[in-house]
Amino acid sequence: MYACTFGVLARRERGLIRKKVAELAGVSEATVSRVLSGVGTVKEETARRVMEAARQLNYVPSALAQRFALRRSGNLGVILPMLPKVNLFSTYYFSEVLSGIGMTAKQRGYDLLLLFREPDEPRDYANLFRTQKVDGCIIIGAQDVPSERAALAELREGNHPFCLVNQRYDGEDYNSVDADQRTGCREAVRHLLAQGCRKIGFLNGPAVYSNSKDRLRGYREALEEAWLAFLPERVLLGNYSRTSGYQQAKAVAALVQAGHIDAIIAANDRMAIGLLQGLKESGVKVGEDVALIGCDDSDIVRMTDPPLTSIRVPFFDIGSEAASRLLDAVADQDGSAAFDVKLPVKLITRASSSAAGTTKA
Amino acid sequence: MYACTFGVLARRERGLIRKKVAELAGVSEATVSRVLSGVGTVKEETARRVMEAARQLNYVPSALAQRFALRRSGNLGVILPMLPKVNLFSTYYFSEVLSGIGMTAKQRGYDLLLLFREPDEPRDYANLFRTQKVDGCIIIGAQDVPSERAALAELREGNHPFCLVNQRYDGEDYNSVDADQRTGCREAVRHLLAQGCRKIGFLNGPAVYSNSKDRLRGYREALEEAWLAFLPERVLLGNYSRTSGYQQAKAVAALVQAGHIDAIIAANDRMAIGLLQGLKESGVKVGEDVALIGCDDSDIVRMTDPPLTSIRVPFFDIGSEAASRLLDAVADQDGSAAFDVKLPVKLITRASSSAAGTTKA
DNA sequence: ACCCCAAATGTACACGCGTACATTCTCTCA
DNA sequence: TGAGAGAATGTACGCGTGTACATTTGGGGT
């Protein structure tokens, strides 16, 4: 019955309710506002009366009106590429990052506004701020292409707080939170060297993602550190999809059979899995004929045969950290310095990274 | 330079801009509003002048103020369980449904407000509407437990538009969009029967999810349709996680080796994969000693060895349909009838569902 | 008893839009 | 040419908050 009454009120008498609460508590509307928003000084006894009156009349302030009055949307925008069917990135990646962002945003009283960016769509991020839909935004899956650079430059111009996840741009010091892929790949190489491998290949992703370059750099550094040559013919290119890994399997199998490669690192797990499948079909045994290491340590690597050694990336923490830092910047607005966080990764070794008879034979 | 000027304006002179646009175009603010919102009659020539003035002054109406004035948040809420680390559902599931919702919402001019529900948190969905944060909401991963029922009843009482995804409640005719799991399982059983299997087991998920019951029902119906007995000892219980499938593998292996089972259907792919791994360790060969069918046809089933036969569920379409129907209801408010959509599923056969030497031996 | 200051509360209004209603313009038809 | 009707536009205000400023209250020190 109360609920029903309220249903009607909700539609036409939103504003009048506050007045009624004020009357019932014997105070002015301003005091009601002060009590419910927790701002300003108010006698404890009065506060109790107001709370009780509000409870009794089932009054809750309208977030819509509050945000309008405060000129803050209270929303944290999250921009991510639309990813139906085509799983360019792994869904694991997105759901972890998103969860991290969501948890932190919630703790700090922000709502999450999800914004899917379609591939061909013009990237007008600044408009989100102009229309006051968000107070800050996190951009996932950004690429180093002119249109993206332009969109980000516009954000910078407008002094709109934003943060990149797993991406950075040469020459720009945009806020970003990333994994230390470079160190991760370096350690992957070191691990393979320790296993006795000497001819290590690398299956990378597109260079529009800065972490592709980071990984390659780590790979190269670790080789040079061990006085081994960096050979371009051992570096292959995929697009982070399973299919692209599968397609490169023939080439890799040929290299293995010719004795040109005894190990390979794939820049993400999906490509590693495609590779694994393709190699299996070509009769190359991963973990025996060749060692294989993936990247991300997504949940699927435990399900393959053999299980995949992989570089664990703290995606949840990346999301959480990005949201936290960004919301600091939103609160501080001008006073806060730019940040560029790199979170540590960790190599998780499993059966796939045994090489050339090291284990089984 | 303009951008910088605007940066300042954005903070203090939001409202004054519209006045300037009006002056520049030689009209009143009301006309500016009419032109930009596309409501009311305006001479074409005037409209052009206003558009040009707005462009020149870089004016865009504040969505915040618009929504406040219209008393509509413009947001479609999506409630989903927080899923970091523990992948109770597959991330594939969520990302597909979410993408479907997102695409439709975008087409219809709504924004997506993402709301993570933490396990222990009280479910107060109605408050989202009271505070006017959303105009409607979609609930994913709802369970048939008292607290959830109470929260939904409150929504109903308040006449708030909402829609369930993949869940329904006996005795309530809430809006819902679901997959036809019952038919799907029936066809899975039929397929196994056609393969020559006669002793078909079933690994189900918790009964708090209505689709668990639907699947079991389809399984049972197909057996009875073939004049085969429904044997409770062939029905096992997991919790939709890979681990739970893995844990049941020993029991299943025993059943297989004792000749009590020649096929098994798992209620989702994750459990099927856990099962597959466990059976492999127990020396039971899937696709030879026992047929295995999963459910969801998520992207991982193509990566296992052998590839998994699975029931394809159109998750993207489910999300899309839910959003579409719900937004209709939001627009129509009282005039719209409740809906209860069931989308068709499709059995995708792969190597895992060959049984007892039907193929290989 | 008086004053002063801080705490507590009330009054009044801005926030930026949409729109009901009033007004002016324009064109047609008598 | 005038009137009438509909299109085009202007005027004025409400939407539900937060808060600056004014006012009242209460208590301690002289």
Side-chain angles (χ1 to χ4, degrees), chain B residues 14 25 43 61 67 80 112 117 132 148 191 194 237 290 297:
Chain B
R14 211 71 189 59
K43 209 197 293 181
R67 290 163 171 191
L80 30 71
L112 235 53
R117 182 176 58 66
Q132 307 193 312
E148 189 101 49
H191 166 72
L237 188 64
V290 65
D297 196 48

Side-chain angles (χ1 to χ4, degrees), chain B residues 11 13 23 27 43 55-56 58-59 63 67 85 197-199 206 210 215 219 224 239 267 304 359:
Chain B
R11 245 173 277 148
E13 313 181 26
E23 284 171 9
V27 297
K43 209 197 293 181
R55 196 194 57 73
Q56 208 166 317
N58 203 5
Y59 169 75
R67 290 163 171 191
K85 316 300 174 197
C197 302
R198 283 296 172 273
K199 305 166 189 170
S210 62
R215 289 197 191 89
Y219 162 77
E224 291 170 351
N239 68 0
T304 58
T359 36

Side-chain angles (χ1 to χ4, degrees), chain B residues 140 192 322:
Chain B
I140 310 181
L192 290 171

Side-chain angles (χ1 to χ4, degrees), chain A residues 27-28 30-31 34 41-43 46 71:
Chain A
V27 296
S28 72
T31 299
R34 277 188 278 255
T41 61
V42 58
K43 209 196 292 181
T46 309
R71 289 177 290 283

